[in-house]
Amino acid sequence: MKLRVTPIGNGTVIDHIPAGQALNVLKILGIDRTTEATISVLMNVTSRRSGKKDMVKVEDRELEEEEVNKISMIAPGATINIIRDCQVVEKYTVDMPDLIVGVLRCPNPSCISNTNEPIKSQLLVKSKNPVVLRCVYCEQPITEKIADYLI
Amino acid sequence: MFKKRHVLSMREFSRDEIDSVLDLAESLEPYARGGKCEALSGKILALLFFEPSTRTRLSFETAMMRLGGKTLSLGPAEGSAIAKGESLADTIRVIGAYADALVIRHPKEGSARLASQFSPVPVLNAGDGAGHHPTQTLLDLYTIRKESSLEDLKIALVGDLKYGRTVHSLAYALALYGADITLVSPPTLEMPAPIKSDLAGKGTMVRETHDLDEVIRNVDVLYVTRIQRERFPDPYEYQKVAKSYRIAPENLDGVQDGLIIMHPLPRVDEIAPEVDETGHALYFKQSFYGVPVRMALLKMLVGDRLD
């Protein structure tokens, strides 16, 4: 199958997102209906590596490594391509940060981080593969359905 | 060496740090019994109890007074009034400016950690919901060290091992001492699997049984916890379980001479009052040991700081 979106001139391409996770990637990056950037979202396109994949292209914006690394929670093998003047000037695989702040809420309803206190959720990354996160506040672990806890 | 600023969770304690607290507690014990001490004279400890507590609150209060310091306290009524309108973070910032240290008990898990992020002074966690209660664990360890031994210890943890926060913290701490732990609980109140695998991962010998008689003659310490009625939808089921884990003098035939029976209190039906008269009953002494242990922590956090 041929890709239906043309290459971008400047910006960031997030490739090799597991099929079905593109919308969660947008959520993590804080891209919603208010965005003024040109965004292309491809879902369920053919991938030689994994059969099917999603892809997100953000035009005229170079995402910071730190913000992009949050994507690794739901798409550990995703690759980031920074494009300038139609050239890939930087390419890397996402790497999970050691501490995830304000991206996921703690699954424990009795946790103080799920109240109206003036704090952001904080999850320590105990293991990257398999993903094991632990709430800094209540110490509850999160190991599965991570996308369900996106803020 | 003890360099902590706050006491929030047993998970953060190394064996050396625990030992240093227990050593200091031992040296403070005469003062816990009434000897004159002015180590914290002029210092103020604020007690913030957003949930009811008797032993823990009074024990902290006693500890501070025995060190020559003073306390101010926020009871559950005022606490809940504040909780309605003001964030915990703001309450902590305000009261943190009045006192030299804060003790907090709060129904939400992680509340003490939050308090530590906003407090200008040391925070001691006196129970955060189903989370941690580190000072209870330290006084338990102190009791075992004084009245039995932390070396080559064989201990049975009995009762509600699923929800009981004290047994989870205690089990982690005992793992640091290489204790041989037997878990004795009804099938519905077994210790959560992640905790068991954590303990096994630390090289601790952990066995599990539903039958108390099977282990009672082979252990040095019997640590009994309350089985709460509200955990059982069926009152008949509760009665049956509560009865099978009740310790009475007739259960103590053939136990080791030095066996000690501990309980974080309050007890309801788990230990028959007749057991109090035996030399095995240690729970009231254990409760007293909360004073020297909390004195040690207060002295380390408030008294010895240069900043």
Side-chain angles (χ1 to χ4, degrees):
Chain A
M1 192 193 293
K2 231 181 114 188
L3 291 185
R4 294 181 172 85
V5 178
T6 52
I8 62 173
N10 290 293
T12 306
V13 175
I14 306 163
D15 198 359
H16 299 292
I17 301 167
Q21 294 294 340
L23 298 178
N24 283 328
V25 166
L26 294 182
K27 200 171 172 185
I28 288 174
L29 296 177
I31 296 171
D32 59 17
R33 65 173 75 180
T34 63
T35 185
E36 291 184 0
T38 306
I39 312 288
S40 312
V41 178
L42 294 92
M43 296 179 75
N44 300 315
V45 296
T46 306
S47 158
R48 259 172 300 171
R49 204 201 285 179
S50 54
K52 277 184 172 184
K53 67 176 180 181
D54 289 1
M55 196 191 273
V56 169
K57 300 183 180 191
V58 184
E59 289 188 38
D60 298 321
R61 179 174 158 198
E62 292 184 7
L63 296 169
E64 300 288 331
E65 192 164 345
E66 197 183 316
E67 66 184 326
V68 153
N69 280 343
K70 295 172 186 168
I71 293 167
S72 59
M73 291 178 294
I74 53 161
T79 56
I80 306 299
N81 301 274
I82 306 290
I83 317 286
R84 278 179 214 149
D85 298 327
C86 301
Q87 300 290 318
V88 177
V89 293
E90 204 180 324
K91 180 170 182 165
Y92 56 89
T93 305
V94 292
D95 184 25
M96 204 178 288
D98 296 331
L99 182 68
I100 298 162
V101 180
V103 181
L104 295 171
R105 71 183 158 75
C106 173
N108 174 8
S110 302
C111 178
I112 192 82
S113 68
N114 285 320
T115 61
N116 59 356
E117 294 294 331
I119 50 166
K120 285 183 175 168
S121 74
Q122 290 189 44
L123 296 155
L124 269 176
V125 178
K126 299 305 290 178
S127 158
K128 294 181 181 181
N129 187 22
V131 177
V132 179
L133 312 175
R134 201 174 71 208
C135 175
V136 164
Y137 291 96
C138 73
E139 300 187 0
Q140 177 139 328
I142 314 180
T143 52
E144 51 189 17
K145 294 185 181 165
I146 288 169
D148 289 358
Y149 302 111
L150 285 170
I151 289 171
Chain B
M1 199 47 201
F2 193 86
K3 288 184 176 164
K4 290 191 185 312
R5 175 145 176 85
H6 308 285
V7 173
L8 306 174
S9 154
M10 278 316 288
R11 211 190 266 272
E12 297 169 343
F13 274 82
S14 67
R15 185 174 159 162
D16 280 352
E17 285 173 323
I18 294 172
D19 286 337
S20 69
V21 174
L22 304 189
D23 288 344
L24 181 59
E26 183 125 38
S27 71
L28 291 172
E29 211 185 296
Y31 305 103
R33 295 183 188 280
K36 197 167 168 53
C37 176
E38 295 293 335
L40 295 190
S41 170
K43 302 287 186 185
I44 296 173
L45 176 67
L47 303 158
L48 311 180
F49 281 76
F50 296 87
E51 268 190 338
S53 154
T54 313
R55 265 160 298 278
T56 306
R57 186 167 55 84
L58 292 182
S59 159
F60 264 114
E61 217 164 320
T62 307
M64 190 61 181
M65 291 180 191
R66 292 288 195 206
L67 288 166
K70 288 191 163 55
T71 64
L72 51 89
S73 85
L74 176 82
E78 297 156 289
S80 61
I82 285 175
K84 277 177 200 152
E86 191 180 45
S87 68
L88 178 62
D90 282 5
T91 306
I92 294 296
R93 278 194 275 224
V94 170
I95 300 176
Y98 302 159
D100 297 289
L102 306 178
V103 175
I104 178 170
R105 171 171 291 188
H106 192 281
K108 289 287 181 188
E109 289 159 44
S111 48
R113 173 95 38 202
L114 174 136
S116 74
Q117 291 173 347
F118 289 92
S119 172
V121 293
V123 172
L124 294 107
N125 183 3
D128 55 344
H132 296 278
H133 192 3
T135 63
Q136 175 72 45
T137 302
L138 289 164
L139 80 87
D140 291 340
L141 294 170
Y142 184 74
T143 307
I144 296 170
R145 194 173 86 160
K146 279 219 63 158
E147 305 292 340
S148 182
S149 171
L150 281 169
E151 306 299 326
D152 303 320
L153 175 70
K154 283 187 184 164
I155 184 169
L157 306 176
V158 184
D160 176 357
L161 306 185
K162 186 174 182 180
Y163 301 100
R165 63 184 167 203
T166 54
V167 280
H168 299 167
S169 296
L170 180 60
Y172 277 119
L174 288 170
L176 296 175
Y177 290 87
D180 177 327
I181 304 174
T182 306
L183 307 172
V184 187
S185 69
T188 50
L189 295 175
E190 282 177 7
M191 188 167 276
I195 301 183
K196 280 186 284 194
S197 63
D198 259 16
L199 293 172
K202 291 178 195 294
T204 311
M205 173 71 95
V206 182
R207 272 183 294 268
E208 215 167 8
T209 174
H210 304 309
D211 184 5
L212 181 59
D213 279 338
E214 206 178 278
V215 297
I216 198 165
R217 275 166 281 279
N218 299 320
V219 294
D220 308 306
V221 177
L222 205 57
Y223 192 97
V224 184
T225 61
R226 191 151 62 94
I227 293 176
Q228 293 183 35
R229 197 180 287 267
E230 54 270 29
R231 305 282 181 218
F232 293 82
D234 178 356
Y236 173 72
E237 233 356 79
Y238 165 75
Q239 293 295 349
K240 214 169 69 180
V241 165
K243 206 175 157 203
S244 66
Y245 290 92
R246 180 179 162 90
I247 317 268
E250 57 268 29
N251 304 113
L252 300 175
D253 288 343
V255 300
Q256 296 182 24
D257 288 344
L259 170 77
I260 63 170
I261 302 173
M262 296 171 62
H263 191 300
L265 303 178
R267 76 168 149 176
V268 184
D269 297 320
E270 310 81 56
I271 303 174
E274 296 77 36
V275 175
D276 304 356
E277 309 308 322
T278 69
H280 304 296
L282 243 296
Y283 24 92
F284 296 116
K285 218 167 181 183
Q286 174 189 357
S287 182
F288 163 73
Y289 287 147
V291 177
V293 167
R294 291 180 174 118
M295 285 170 77
L297 290 169
L298 290 172
K299 191 164 182 299
M300 286 167 148
L301 293 172
V302 180
D304 298 341
R305 304 198 77 84
L306 296 173
D307 53 331

